[in-house]
Structure formats: structure tokens, C-alpha cells
Amino acid sequence: MSVADTPRREWLLSDQPTSRRQARLGQMYRTWLAFRQNKLAMIGLGIVLLLVLVAIFADLIAPYDPLISGDLRTARLVPPSWDHLMGTDDQARDIFSRVVHGSRLTLMVVALVAIIATPIGLLVGTTAGYFGGWTDTILMRITDIFLAFPRLILALAFVAALGPGIENAIIAIAITSWPPYARLARAETLTIRDTDYIAAIRLQGASSLRIISGHVVPLCLSSVIIRVTLDMAGIILTAAGLGFLGLGAQPPQPEWGAMIAAGRRFLLDFWWVATMPGIAIFTVSLGFNLLGDGLRDVLDPKGRG
Amino acid sequence: MSLTTNDPGGRSSAPSRFLWKVTKLLATLAMTFFGLLLVTFLIGRIVPVDPVLAVVGDRASQSVYDKAFIELGLDKPLYEQFWIYLQKVMTGDFGQSFLTKKDISEDILRVFPATVELATVGILIGTILGIPIGILAAVKQGKLADQMVRVLGLIGYSAPIFWLGLLALLVFYAKLGWVAGPGRIDIAYEYSVTQKTGLLLIDSAMQGQWDAFRNVFSHIILPASLLGYFSMAYISRMTRSFMLNELAQEYITTARVKGVPEWRIIWVHALRNAAVPLVTVVALSYAGLLEGSVLTETVFAWPGLGQYLTNSLQNADMNAVLGGTLVIGVIFVGLNLLSDVLYTLLDPRVRRRG
């Protein structure tokens, strides 16, 4: 550790922070230190960061064009080699380039589902928990109904109705993802609702909207975020499953699940076409699983098990 | 209500409390089913496909179109349409499939046994392997065995099931030739077994057709092992956590002090208490297999509910999709309920608390 680092470290770990900012940063730093101890979680973080970097620099990393066919006479279904790290598919496209570009689609699906489903879950859960009574009963019944379908099946039905395509797949997955977040947010809200500080804010005349958005939601946020991170592997697998069934991204988009489906016809003779995109899905969802497990261990010691 | 007359002085007697619980359960169940129907109905409404055109074809004249429009009840307000839908579904009428031209309920009954057979063999494999592995991980907590079980589980949580299925076909069927390929039974045997239960393993065994039985087994073992692996990942993880919880209790220390042998402490004392929540877990993962079966059946060309659903999806056969979705939803709810009931029946603490 360099000399310049030491005072900053002491400042962060100080027992008597002089400002709120120092306390908060110190808390974050301590969480990071605990997280860093967990090797598997760090591997997960590494994989997720790698995914983000690959998605950003896909154009620079991919040696070939992901959509345009190569020479159909000579470059069709070529096994993995130094020219084509993962071989080529039946359209003579470089599979490695397609996998690299596919990371953008995967990242987009995960990010959009999280952005759509988390606020819905938070809104429904905190509202139900805070108001209680009939509001609670009605909102939670609706949540239960969505939980009553297996997730992939409900997503399938929605995509069937909306029509195949990556946007509709994202909407369908988001619609099926929010109920567990709502349940979690409600449970958290129930423990927060009757605390003294909420009563104090209420006595100051704060509106319900203000209490929920300013004081209840921030307290539920961390556990919901952990849950969303743990869910991301599931989101990726559902999206890949929809793609595999031909209901997600449409050809020639390099979506990993759809690529596996396309490689299925050549499985017995040209194994790499279906295998390579599967390795990508597996690695990324493993990364999110490891990251989520690590986050839960650090931020929510109760959930360990 | 009869419940209140049985309730003098506010202290409810045991039978009335039981009745009250059953009523509440039934009410919840009815509301959930109502909700399931509402969801499938609304999904059916947002389809951009014109349901009239699907019936009469796009070359029909305006008068034929109008007639079909009224016959389908599309001129009525939405709530009335829902009411008609509700009545139809209650009598088991999901409409006709555009693809097979048969009643959807008939189609579903025909394909359902294949799914049940696959999921049942899968859950058997998952339970038989998952529980001992979970116990092993709990006993050897933090050691190599525990880490290996964790890795095994992580792979199960992270790998796409359809991809593993394809790889398994490639290795065990194409390269090694250990098992039979896609499908449920070879054509050579298909008509020699008369279907009574629809479960081919049982049918062929009951008729003493052991060649056919071997063939069916060799077809089912790969997809069932795959499903079994995924449920094993979940079951072993939960077993581990329940066992760790039990092994930390004081009665275990007492047993150790008494000098009870370690195997007895683990397999009898602790496991018996961990078994109650485990039953719930097994029931839930059986429900989860229904979901996994959609992709698995597609990969293995298994003629069950999952393949029926995906086939209908790819042919935009909306009635069949919604019928299948509804049936799976109902089974899912049923299994969830079953796990709740089993939990109540098995755990004396919950039973007494009422």
C-alpha cells in the first residue's frame, strides 16, 4: 500500500466520522472490504465487468462482421481455429464475433428488465405494506396470481400474444419478474412502517407519498437490489430460452439462445455451432449468480444459508 | 353463518377453526383460479391476430365475417365475454385447436401423461440424489465435499437446460450410444404397447413387454436425468441449509452427550426434523419441473404438454397456448397448495398452532 493511500484509508475507516458523507463512504468502503474477501464473488464481479466491457467494445473485439455471411463455399461450418476462434456457422459467419456482439443483447435484456421490473415491484410492495388493509389484500392477490404461473410459461404466453421479438420478450420477462420484488418490498415495509421515526415524520405532516418515496423505498432498496442481482441469471436464462424457442430475438440478430437453436440442426456433425453460445450464456449467468451470492452475504447476513 | 353459531363466547372450538381454515383456503384458491382465468383471457384479448379471421379465413365475405363475429360473442361487452369464457372453461371447454382440429382439452389429456412420466422420473432422481448430497454437504460444512456440492449446484443454477440437453444428446446418444435418442419410444414398439395409464414405463411393465420397457427406459433416462439434475441442485441446497439448522440445535448436543452414534444423530434425529420442510421443497421442485419440461421436451422431441405448448406457439395457435398455460398454472397452484397442506399435516407445531 502506498503512502498516499494510508490517510485516506484511515479517514474512511474512522470511528468518528465528522460528516455524513464520510460516514456513508466509510460504510461503502467497509462493505467493499468484506466483499473483497469473498473470492467467488470477486470472480463473479469480474465476469460481469467483462461482459460490460465486451458489450461496449464489441466493434473493436469482434474480428468479423456478426451479421454478414462470409464466403459460403470455403468458410461454412469451419471448426474452431486461430482464424475463427469458435468456428463458423452455416452462413459462414464467425461465431466468436457473433457471441461478442450477442453480449450487447444480453446486457440490454438484463438492464431493461431490471429497470422496468424493480420500480413496479417496489411501488406495489411498499404501497401494499404501508397502507395495509384492503389495498394490501388486493395488491397482494394480484401479485399471487402472477406468481401462480411458472415464469417461463407466463412469459411464453405473453410473447405469443405480443408477437415474437426481443422488445416483446423484454416486456414479457419484466411482467413476470416483478412479483417476488413486490413481496420482498412489502415484507420490508411492514417492519419499517411502525417504527418511531416513521411516526415522527408522519407527525411532522409528511404525506403518504413523501413517506413512501423518501423514507420507505430507500430502506427497502438494498434488499430488493440483492434480489434483482440474484435474479439476473434467471432473467438471462429465460431470455435465452425464449430465444431458443424462436420467440425472442429474431434472426439474423446474434442472440445466444437463438444461436443455439440454429446450431441444433448441425449438432451431430458440427458441435461447435450450438456449444459456443451456450458457454457464453453459462459463463455470464454463473457470473451473476456468484456476484449475487456475494452481495447477499455481505449486505444481508440474515439471508445466508 | 354456521361458523359463528359454533363459536360461543368468542373461543372457537377445534372443528370450527378447522372449518374456518378450509373456507379461507378455498376462498383464496377460488380467487387465484379466477385471477389465472382473467390473465389468460386478457392475454387472449391483446393478441393482434383477428380471432374472426382465424375462424373464417381472410377471403370470407363481409356477411360471413359478421356472422362469425357475433357467434364468437365479440359484439358483447368485455365483461360479458369474460363471463362466457369462464363458463366454457369451467366445463373443460378451451375451444378448438387450429392445428390439430380437435378439442384442446382432448389434446391436453392425450399429451399430459408423457409429461407426468418424465417429471416423475426426474423428481425421483433429483430427490434420491439431492437429499444425501445435501446431508453430506451439511455434515462436511466448509470442507472439500461441501465446496463440490456448491459447485454442482451453481452449475445447475447457471446452465441453460436446453443447452445441457443438446450436449447430453451429443455425448450420450450420438458419440457413446449409451441411450436412445429423441422421442419417447421407438416406432418398432409404439403399437405393441396398449396405453392404459398413458405412462409407458408402467404400461409396458404391466403387459410384461420387457423389450419395450427397456426401450422406453433408454429413451426416458437422459431427459429425466437432466430434469433430475436441476431439481437436485435445488433440493441439495435446501437440504444442506435445513440440516445445518437442525444440527445446531440443542437436542443434537443432548443426543451427542448421551452417546448416540453420529450416523444415528444425522440420519434419524436431525433428518426427521429436516424432513418436514423438505417435503415442501420436493413438491415445489416438482412444480418447477413442469416449467423445465417445456424446454426439455422441445430438445428431446418428447410428446408432452411442453412440446404441445411450443408447437402451438410456433403456429400461433392461441387457443391451445392459453389452454396449456391455464392447465400448467392450475397444476402449479395445486402443487403449491399440496406442499402447504403437507407441511401443516407433518409439522406438529404448525398443526397445534392452528
Side-chain angles (χ1 to χ4, degrees):
Chain A
M1 184 154 291
S2 67
V3 188
D5 267 0
T6 322
R8 196 185 300 153
R9 194 181 145 85
E10 269 172 16
W11 182 78
L12 281 168
L13 292 178
S14 162
D15 283 337
Q16 286 142 338
T18 49
S19 66
R20 186 176 279 204
R21 183 168 137 263
Q22 186 185 358
R24 252 190 215 152
L25 286 174
Q27 181 60 38
M28 279 165 71
Y29 184 63
R30 278 193 198 96
T31 310
W32 165 244
L33 285 183
F35 183 80
R36 223 171 47 179
Q37 298 297 312
N38 189 334
K39 272 191 209 125
L40 285 175
M42 286 301 284
I43 295 174
L45 183 66
I47 293 173
V48 173
L49 285 179
L50 190 71
L51 172 77
V52 175
L53 288 177
V54 168
I56 293 173
F57 298 109
D59 290 323
L60 298 175
I61 297 169
Y64 300 88
D65 189 288
L67 302 179
I68 298 171
S69 306
D71 188 341
L72 285 172
R73 273 170 308 158
T74 55
R76 232 176 134 246
L77 298 166
V78 177
S81 64
W82 283 112
D83 276 347
H84 299 283
L85 283 176
M86 295 181 177
T88 62
D89 65 7
D90 60 317
Q91 306 282 323
R93 292 173 297 204
D94 180 51
I95 295 177
F96 176 69
S97 304
R98 282 176 70 72
V99 167
V100 165
H101 277 273
S103 64
R104 287 186 170 169
L105 289 174
T106 302
L107 202 62
M108 181 177 88
V109 170
V110 171
L112 283 179
V113 169
I115 289 171
I116 300 170
T118 315
I120 299 177
L122 273 174
L123 184 73
V124 172
T126 50
T127 311
Y130 184 75
F131 290 110
W134 275 106
T135 321
D136 185 29
T137 311
I138 292 169
L139 286 177
M140 280 303 114
R141 277 286 146 267
I142 295 173
T143 310
D144 283 349
I145 287 161
F146 275 89
L147 280 173
F149 287 106
R151 191 158 153 192
L152 181 67
I153 310 271
L154 188 59
L156 278 179
F158 270 111
V159 179
L162 296 169
I166 186 108
E167 299 86 3
N168 290 344
I170 291 170
I171 295 172
I173 298 173
I175 290 175
T176 55
S177 295
W178 65 268
Y181 312 153
R183 277 226 174 149
L184 187 62
R186 174 178 175 268
E188 294 272 316
T189 308
L190 285 180
T191 60
I192 299 166
R193 183 178 70 177
D194 298 326
T195 49
D196 288 345
Y197 60 85
I198 294 290
I201 305 160
R202 205 178 291 141
L203 282 174
Q204 286 174 19
S207 66
S208 300
L209 180 69
R210 193 188 172 85
I211 295 174
I212 291 178
S213 63
H215 301 277
V216 177
V217 168
L219 286 168
C220 301
L221 210 55
S222 76
S223 50
V224 172
I225 285 177
I226 297 167
R227 181 66 214 251
V228 173
T229 316
L230 275 172
D231 250 17
M232 284 191 171
I235 293 169
I236 290 171
L237 291 180
T238 313
L242 288 175
F244 178 73
L245 294 172
L247 297 167
Q250 296 299 303
Q253 278 185 317
E255 199 273 324
W256 295 340
M259 285 169 72
I260 296 179
R264 200 178 150 193
R265 280 180 293 153
F266 318 107
L267 182 70
L268 299 188
D269 300 310
F270 311 101
W271 54 269
W272 55 88
V273 186
T275 310
M276 296 304 178
I279 294 175
I281 300 175
F282 174 61
T283 313
V284 170
S285 71
L286 185 68
F288 274 111
N289 270 332
L290 292 174
L291 178 65
D293 272 358
L295 277 182
R296 186 184 53 193
D297 286 355
V298 173
L299 296 176
D300 179 26
K302 287 168 291 177
R304 244 176 260 193
Chain B
M1 290 220 329
S2 63
L3 286 174
T4 42
T5 53
N6 280 346
D7 198 359
R11 278 184 56 199
S12 52
S13 57
S16 89
R17 211 166 45 198
F18 179 74
L19 258 177
W20 173 235
K21 261 180 89 176
V22 170
T23 322
K24 224 170 127 183
L25 196 74
L26 286 178
T28 314
L29 206 60
M31 267 177 62
T32 310
F33 284 148
F34 184 79
L36 287 180
L37 281 162
L38 193 62
V39 169
T40 49
F41 173 76
L42 289 177
I43 292 177
R45 286 299 110 190
I46 56 171
V47 189
V49 183
D50 186 342
V52 182
L53 285 186
V55 174
V56 298
D58 49 3
R59 262 175 283 167
S61 65
Q62 189 62 40
S63 62
V64 175
Y65 181 94
D66 288 343
K67 197 161 162 261
F69 188 80
I70 292 172
E71 260 175 31
L72 287 172
L74 293 171
D75 55 332
K76 299 195 175 70
L78 213 56
Y79 62 88
E80 218 167 299
Q81 289 184 34
F82 179 59
W83 176 241
I84 296 169
Y85 176 71
L86 206 66
Q87 283 172 321
K88 277 192 173 170
V89 168
M90 284 301 163
T91 55
D93 178 9
F94 298 106
Q96 263 196 354
S97 157
F98 298 128
L99 203 60
T100 60
K101 302 283 173 214
K102 282 185 194 145
D103 281 349
I104 284 158
S105 44
E106 196 183 315
D107 274 347
I108 289 178
L109 277 179
R110 181 171 39 89
V111 296
F112 195 56
T115 299
V116 171
E117 188 168 35
L118 183 61
T120 308
V121 178
I123 198 75
L124 283 176
I125 295 174
T127 312
I128 291 170
L129 291 178
I131 290 179
I133 286 178
I135 293 174
L136 180 76
V139 173
K140 307 258 178 207
Q141 189 193 6
K143 303 231 179 75
L144 186 68
D146 187 22
Q147 299 293 339
M148 279 169 66
V149 171
R150 189 163 174 214
V151 170
L152 215 62
L154 267 172
I155 294 173
Y157 278 110
S158 307
I161 192 167
F162 51 95
W163 178 66
L164 275 192
L166 287 173
L167 291 190
L169 268 180
L170 179 67
V171 173
F172 296 109
Y173 165 62
K175 301 283 181 225
L176 297 172
W178 288 357
V179 296
R184 209 177 164 202
I185 184 168
D186 282 349
I187 293 179
Y189 299 102
E190 193 162 353
Y191 297 101
S192 62
V193 182
T194 24
Q195 297 209 9
K196 275 186 192 137
T197 57
L199 308 171
L200 288 182
L201 279 174
I202 293 177
D203 280 342
S204 57
M206 274 187 350
Q207 290 158 34
Q209 305 213 22
W210 296 107
D211 281 350
F213 181 82
R214 265 195 294 279
N215 185 265
V216 171
F217 183 76
S218 142
H219 273 285
I220 202 173
I221 189 70
L222 199 58
S225 303
L226 197 67
L227 286 177
Y229 174 59
F230 281 85
S231 57
M232 185 202 80
Y234 178 56
I235 291 174
S236 64
R237 185 173 174 157
M238 298 313 283
T239 309
R240 176 181 179 274
S241 119
F242 294 147
M243 284 298 282
L244 281 180
N245 189 26
E246 291 304 328
L247 288 173
Q249 303 288 325
E250 281 179 353
Y251 72 89
I252 295 290
T253 317
T254 314
R256 287 216 175 98
V257 170
K258 279 198 311 192
V260 177
E262 193 65 22
W263 64 266
R264 213 181 135 76
I265 289 179
I266 293 162
W267 290 91
V268 179
H269 292 231
L271 184 59
R272 192 182 279 168
N273 284 302
V276 177
L278 266 182
V279 170
T280 320
V281 167
V282 171
L284 286 181
S285 53
Y286 192 69
L289 287 189
L290 278 174
E291 190 173 14
S293 73
V294 173
L295 291 164
T296 313
E297 286 181 6
T298 311
V299 170
F300 287 89
W302 193 263
L305 192 54
Q307 208 199 23
Y308 180 72
L309 204 60
T310 49
N311 259 341
S312 316
L313 271 170
Q314 271 148 10
N315 293 292
D317 190 350
M318 240 10 235
N319 278 349
V321 172
L322 294 180
T325 308
L326 194 60
V327 168
I328 291 181
V330 168
I331 298 169
F332 206 69
V333 173
L335 284 170
N336 272 300
L337 180 74
L338 180 74
S339 77
D340 276 359
V341 171
L342 282 175
Y343 191 85
T344 319
L345 289 179
L346 290 175
D347 193 332
R349 284 167 304 183
V350 179
R351 202 169 30 196
R352 216 169 300 139
R353 230 183 285 136

